[in-house]
Amino acid sequence: MAIERTLSIIKPDGVQKNLIGDVYRRFEQAGLKIIAARMLHLTTAQAEAFYAVHRERPFYKDLVRYMTTGPVIAQVLEGENAIETHRKIMGATDPKKADPGTIRRDLAASIEENVVHGSDAVETARQEISFFFAQADVCPRTR
Ligand code: ATP
Ligand code: MG
């Protein structure tokens, strides 16, 4: 297994419900290290660009609206097999289908308002990290 980096977002519903600490605790307990973090309120243009891959999907407009309703926290997670580990901790997109103990099953309200985002592959992780962070904003752990 390789050391990977992945992009995580706590979405507006997660921030609103004061779940930042709960979500971070799950990352840290799984051995994932936060090596960059930033709070921002996405503009419509930013949300459209971030989710451009879904632009033909019926839920795209609502997704963009939801992602701009409040601030989000974006972070870079690093660790062994980080992309898959992170996706496992998040659980399935639809909280009703997510395994017990996952973030979405435990904390999410619906398939849309599902608290977190996580990159799904090495190439998308690289692109999504650079969407939010300059290289100088990423802090590799020196201890
Ligand atoms: P994410 O990309 O946010 O990590 P995901 O990879 O599990 O989630 P995607 O299929 O990439 O799921 O969908 C992106 C986001 O769009 C979902 O997290 C959810 O917020 C929203 N979404 C996905 N499917 C639906 C749907 N059928 N109805 C409403 N919203 C949806
Ligand atoms: Mg996705």
Side-chain angles (χ1 to χ4, degrees), residues 94-107:
D94 182 351
K96 292 200 286 289
K97 296 184 182 148
D99 290 337
T102 62
I103 292 169
R104 284 166 167 169
R105 175 67 171 266
D106 292 353
L107 307 174

Side-chain angles (χ1 to χ4, degrees), residues 60-117:
Y60 178 67
K61 261 195 133 154
D62 286 341
L63 174 60
V64 168
R65 193 174 309 123
Y66 153 55
M67 289 297 289
T68 58
T69 53
V72 301
I73 294 203
Q75 44 280 321
V76 179
L77 306 178
E78 185 176 74
E80 283 281 347
N81 215 15
I83 295 167
E84 196 192 323
T85 301
H86 179 219
R87 300 274 305 181
K88 273 203 183 125
I89 297 169
M90 288 166 49
T93 311
D94 182 351
K96 292 200 286 289
K97 296 184 182 148
D99 290 337
T102 62
I103 292 169
R104 284 166 167 169
R105 175 67 171 266
D106 292 353
L107 307 174
S110 70
I111 191 169
E112 180 182 66
E113 299 223 347
N114 60 5
V115 177
V116 282
H117 162 84

Side-chain angles (χ1 to χ4, degrees), residues 3-143:
I3 299 287
E4 292 175 342
R5 291 178 178 181
T6 191
L7 190 276
S8 152
I9 302 174
I10 304 179
K11 295 177 175 180
D13 53 325
V15 173
Q16 178 189 16
K17 291 194 274 188
N18 260 356
L19 295 173
I20 297 164
D22 191 328
V23 171
Y24 272 25
R25 179 184 57 78
R26 292 166 192 251
F27 294 159
E28 293 189 329
Q29 282 186 343
L32 293 170
K33 292 178 176 147
I34 297 160
I35 59 168
R38 161 177 188 217
M39 182 178 260
L40 74 162
H41 193 135
L42 289 170
T43 64
T44 299
Q46 283 174 315
E48 284 173 350
F50 185 77
Y51 276 121
V53 64
H54 293 312
R55 85 185 147 256
E56 306 301 333
R57 309 283 281 277
F59 57 80
Y60 178 67
K61 261 195 133 154
D62 286 341
L63 174 60
V64 168
R65 193 174 309 123
Y66 153 55
M67 289 297 289
T68 58
T69 53
V72 301
I73 294 203
Q75 44 280 321
V76 179
L77 306 178
E78 185 176 74
E80 283 281 347
N81 215 15
I83 295 167
E84 196 192 323
T85 301
H86 179 219
R87 300 274 305 181
K88 273 203 183 125
I89 297 169
M90 288 166 49
T93 311
D94 182 351
K96 292 200 286 289
K97 296 184 182 148
D99 290 337
T102 62
I103 292 169
R104 284 166 167 169
R105 175 67 171 266
D106 292 353
L107 307 174
S110 70
I111 191 169
E112 180 182 66
E113 299 223 347
N114 60 5
V115 177
V116 282
H117 162 84
S119 308
D120 58 13
V122 171
E123 184 51 27
T124 45
R126 200 187 55 73
Q127 288 167 9
E128 291 178 359
I129 289 168
S130 64
F131 186 94
F132 286 99
F133 298 97
Q135 209 148 356
D137 296 327
V138 178
C139 301
R141 295 290 181 93
T142 51
R143 60 175 289 180

